[in-house]
Amino acid sequence: QKPIGRAVSMPKGLALGGIASLGITVAGAAVIAKLLETERVGESMVGYAVMVLLLGSSFSGTWISQRRIKRRLLLVSLLSGGIYFALLLSITALFFGGQYEAVGVTGLLILGGSGTALLLAGRIGRGVERKKRRRVTC
């Protein structure tokens, strides 16, 4: 492919992905809180909603980072998931006094979202390659 110079640097792309992940997490938490307030979702379903939220925000942040950086997709996926995980741990330390709960499950969900974005990124841009047929003349 011909380079067109629209890729951003690794730190800038990872920062954009981390900000997007965090923004989606905050917006999703607000939606879940509103659904709890209006009693459309029971308290027993909050855990499942948070799981979907973590998967979705990790996927979205990784996807945005990959689309911006456009190279070294495996490294970008791992770093984007790691940055999002570190942000969540630092927020927990800041607001909840470091009482970590379900850190392993959260890490696995973030890894799953980032891994899904990586798997899907490998499929993008690949068209169906058609072989040229040789005409056989007798």
CSV table of all heavy atoms in Angstrom, one decimal, residues 88-101:
chain,number,residue,atom,x,y,z
A,88,LEU,N,-8.3,1.9,35.4
A,88,LEU,CA,-9.3,1.5,36.3
A,88,LEU,C,-8.7,1.2,37.7
A,88,LEU,O,-9.3,1.5,38.7
A,88,LEU,CB,-10.0,0.2,35.8
A,88,LEU,CG,-10.9,0.4,34.5
A,88,LEU,CD1,-11.5,-0.9,34.1
A,88,LEU,CD2,-12.0,1.4,34.8
A,89,LEU,N,-7.5,0.6,37.7
A,89,LEU,CA,-6.9,0.4,39.0
A,89,LEU,C,-6.5,1.7,39.8
A,89,LEU,O,-6.7,1.8,41.0
A,89,LEU,CB,-5.6,-0.5,38.9
A,89,LEU,CG,-5.8,-2.0,38.6
A,89,LEU,CD1,-4.5,-2.7,38.4
A,89,LEU,CD2,-6.6,-2.7,39.6
A,90,SER,N,-6.1,2.6,39.0
A,90,SER,CA,-5.7,3.9,39.7
A,90,SER,C,-7.0,4.7,40.1
A,90,SER,O,-6.9,5.3,41.2
A,90,SER,CB,-4.9,4.8,38.7
A,90,SER,OG,-5.7,5.1,37.6
A,91,ILE,N,-8.1,4.5,39.4
A,91,ILE,CA,-9.3,5.2,39.9
A,91,ILE,C,-9.8,4.5,41.1
A,91,ILE,O,-10.3,5.1,42.1
A,91,ILE,CB,-10.4,5.1,38.7
A,91,ILE,CG1,-10.0,6.1,37.7
A,91,ILE,CG2,-11.8,5.4,39.3
A,91,ILE,CD1,-10.8,6.0,36.4
A,92,THR,N,-9.7,3.1,41.2
A,92,THR,CA,-10.1,2.4,42.4
A,92,THR,C,-9.2,2.8,43.6
A,92,THR,O,-9.7,3.0,44.7
A,92,THR,CB,-9.9,0.9,42.1
A,92,THR,OG1,-10.8,0.5,41.0
A,92,THR,CG2,-10.3,0.1,43.4
A,93,ALA,N,-7.9,3.0,43.3
A,93,ALA,CA,-7.0,3.4,44.4
A,93,ALA,C,-7.4,4.8,44.9
A,93,ALA,O,-7.3,5.1,46.1
A,93,ALA,CB,-5.6,3.3,44.0
A,94,LEU,N,-7.7,5.7,44.0
A,94,LEU,CA,-8.0,7.1,44.3
A,94,LEU,C,-9.3,7.3,45.0
A,94,LEU,O,-9.4,7.9,46.1
A,94,LEU,CB,-8.0,7.9,43.0
A,94,LEU,CG,-8.2,9.4,43.2
A,94,LEU,CD1,-7.0,10.0,43.9
A,94,LEU,CD2,-8.3,10.1,41.8
A,95,PHE,N,-10.4,6.7,44.5
A,95,PHE,CA,-11.7,6.9,45.1
A,95,PHE,C,-12.2,5.9,46.1
A,95,PHE,O,-13.0,6.2,47.0
A,95,PHE,CB,-12.8,6.9,44.0
A,95,PHE,CG,-12.6,8.1,43.1
A,95,PHE,CD1,-12.3,8.0,41.7
A,95,PHE,CD2,-12.7,9.4,43.6
A,95,PHE,CE1,-12.2,9.1,40.9
A,95,PHE,CE2,-12.6,10.5,42.7
A,95,PHE,CZ,-12.3,10.3,41.4
A,96,PHE,N,-11.7,4.7,46.1
A,96,PHE,CA,-12.1,3.7,47.0
A,96,PHE,C,-11.1,3.2,48.0
A,96,PHE,O,-11.2,2.2,48.6
A,96,PHE,CB,-12.7,2.5,46.2
A,96,PHE,CG,-13.8,2.8,45.3
A,96,PHE,CD1,-13.7,2.8,43.9
A,96,PHE,CD2,-15.0,3.2,45.8
A,96,PHE,CE1,-14.7,3.2,43.1
A,96,PHE,CE2,-16.1,3.6,45.0
A,96,PHE,CZ,-15.9,3.6,43.6
A,97,GLY,N,-10.0,3.9,48.1
A,97,GLY,CA,-9.0,3.6,49.1
A,97,GLY,C,-8.2,2.3,48.8
A,97,GLY,O,-7.6,1.8,49.7
A,98,GLY,N,-8.2,1.9,47.6
A,98,GLY,CA,-7.4,0.7,47.3
A,98,GLY,C,-8.1,-0.6,47.6
A,98,GLY,O,-7.4,-1.6,47.8
A,99,GLN,N,-9.4,-0.7,47.8
A,99,GLN,CA,-10.1,-1.9,48.1
A,99,GLN,C,-10.4,-2.6,46.7
A,99,GLN,O,-11.4,-2.3,46.1
A,99,GLN,CB,-11.4,-1.6,48.9
A,99,GLN,CG,-11.1,-1.1,50.2
A,99,GLN,CD,-12.4,-0.8,51.0
A,99,GLN,OE1,-13.4,-0.8,50.4
A,99,GLN,NE2,-12.2,-0.5,52.3
A,100,TYR,N,-9.5,-3.4,46.3
A,100,TYR,CA,-9.6,-4.1,45.0
A,100,TYR,C,-10.5,-5.3,45.1
A,100,TYR,O,-10.2,-6.2,46.0
A,100,TYR,CB,-8.3,-4.4,44.4
A,100,TYR,CG,-7.4,-3.2,44.3
A,100,TYR,CD1,-6.3,-3.0,45.1
A,100,TYR,CD2,-7.6,-2.3,43.3
A,100,TYR,CE1,-5.4,-1.9,44.9
A,100,TYR,CE2,-6.8,-1.2,43.1
A,100,TYR,CZ,-5.7,-1.0,43.9
A,100,TYR,OH,-4.9,0.0,43.7
A,101,GLU,N,-11.5,-5.4,44.3
A,101,GLU,CA,-12.3,-6.6,44.2
A,101,GLU,C,-12.5,-7.0,42.8
A,101,GLU,O,-12.7,-6.2,41.9
A,101,GLU,CB,-13.7,-6.3,44.9
A,101,GLU,CG,-13.7,-6.0,46.3
A,101,GLU,CD,-15.0,-5.8,46.9
A,101,GLU,OE1,-16.0,-6.1,46.2
A,101,GLU,OE2,-15.1,-5.3,48.0
